[in-house]
């Protein structure tokens, strides 16, 4: 197993925590010199905060731990392709690299829905997608299948 795979597995564990809270199961970790300095999982529902994405929470925790708003030299591992808001935070934090698992056909801003307009921005992180994509995607598929099954059971109770 590569270091990248190990860190993505930690992000998957975070995603599992989100799913247990009935949040969309996305998890993220920020790594600096081989040490996890920030973790996060989706919490928009629980925190009543549309910005409480896994990436944002992991970045916030890493910044607090380092006591700075910059995370130069750090890498972000996230189970789902980041949205535009999260990539904006990556730029502001000056993260070196973003490694993600599954593509996001509804909100992905690396290559699925759009390509984030880095253009003339003062920072452009390295982007790597598809790491453990099947595992990351399966977690999401199972979560939404469970929600549909529950919704259908409530609509059409048997018996």
């Amino acid at each position: 197993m590569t270091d990248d795979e190990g860190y993505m597995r930690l992000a998957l564990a975070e995603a599992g925590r989100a799913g247990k809270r009935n949040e969309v199961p996305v998890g993220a970790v920020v790594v600096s010199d081989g040490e996890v300095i920030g973790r996060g999982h989706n919490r928009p529902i629980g925190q009543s905060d549309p910005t409480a994405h896994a990436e944002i929470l992991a970045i916030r925790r890493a910044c607090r731990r380092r006591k700075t708003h910059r995370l130069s030299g750090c890498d972000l591992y996230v189970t789902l392709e980041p949205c535009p808001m999260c990539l904006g935070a990556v730029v502001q934090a000056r993260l070196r690299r973003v490694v993600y698992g599954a593509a996001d056909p509804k909100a992905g801003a690396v290559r699925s829905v759009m390509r984030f307009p880095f253009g003339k921005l003062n920072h452009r992180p390295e982007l790597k997608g598809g790491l453990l994509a099947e595992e990351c995607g399966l977690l999401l598929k199972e979560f939404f299948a469970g929600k549909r099954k529950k919704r259908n059971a409530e609509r059409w109770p048997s018996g």
Side-chain angles (χ1 to χ4, degrees):
M1 174 170 32
T2 67
D3 287 346
D4 281 352
E5 289 173 355
Y7 297 128
M8 186 60 77
R9 293 209 180 279
L10 294 175
L12 275 163
E14 287 294 320
R17 289 181 182 92
K20 287 177 182 167
R21 292 179 170 197
N22 207 27
E23 301 269 4
V24 175
V26 178
V29 296
V30 175
V31 177
S32 174
D33 295 322
E35 179 186 3
V36 175
I37 62 169
R39 297 174 186 265
H41 54 270
N42 269 6
R43 295 283 288 134
I45 297 166
Q47 292 186 3
S48 299
D49 179 358
T51 70
H53 289 198
E55 302 95 319
I56 300 292
L57 298 177
I59 290 168
R60 286 176 182 164
R61 289 180 179 124
C63 287
R64 280 195 301 269
R65 183 161 180 192
R66 278 201 160 173
K67 296 181 171 82
T68 182
H69 64 295
R70 299 284 191 238
L71 297 172
S72 302
C74 296
D75 300 329
L76 173 70
Y77 294 83
V78 60
T79 57
L80 185 65
E81 179 182 1
C83 71
M85 174 185 70
C86 291
L87 283 175
V90 164
V91 170
Q92 293 302 312
R94 308 295 194 272
L95 284 156
R96 173 180 57 194
R97 190 165 71 121
V98 176
V99 180
Y100 68 90
D104 184 352
K106 296 193 181 215
V110 175
R111 63 176 59 99
S112 293
V113 174
M114 67 175 283
R115 294 189 188 276
F116 189 83
F118 290 101
K120 294 182 180 181
L121 295 177
N122 58 355
H123 180 72
R124 183 183 178 103
E126 178 186 333
L127 302 167
K128 176 183 176 184
L131 182 64
L132 302 180
E134 284 186 40
E135 269 182 73
C136 295
L138 184 60
L139 190 61
L140 289 157
K141 285 177 188 167
E142 289 173 347
F143 175 80
F144 287 113
K147 285 192 116 14
R148 282 190 299 278
K149 184 176 180 180
K150 182 179 177 187
R151 184 183 67 229
N152 289 338
E154 289 169 355
R155 283 185 185 165
W156 299 291
S158 59

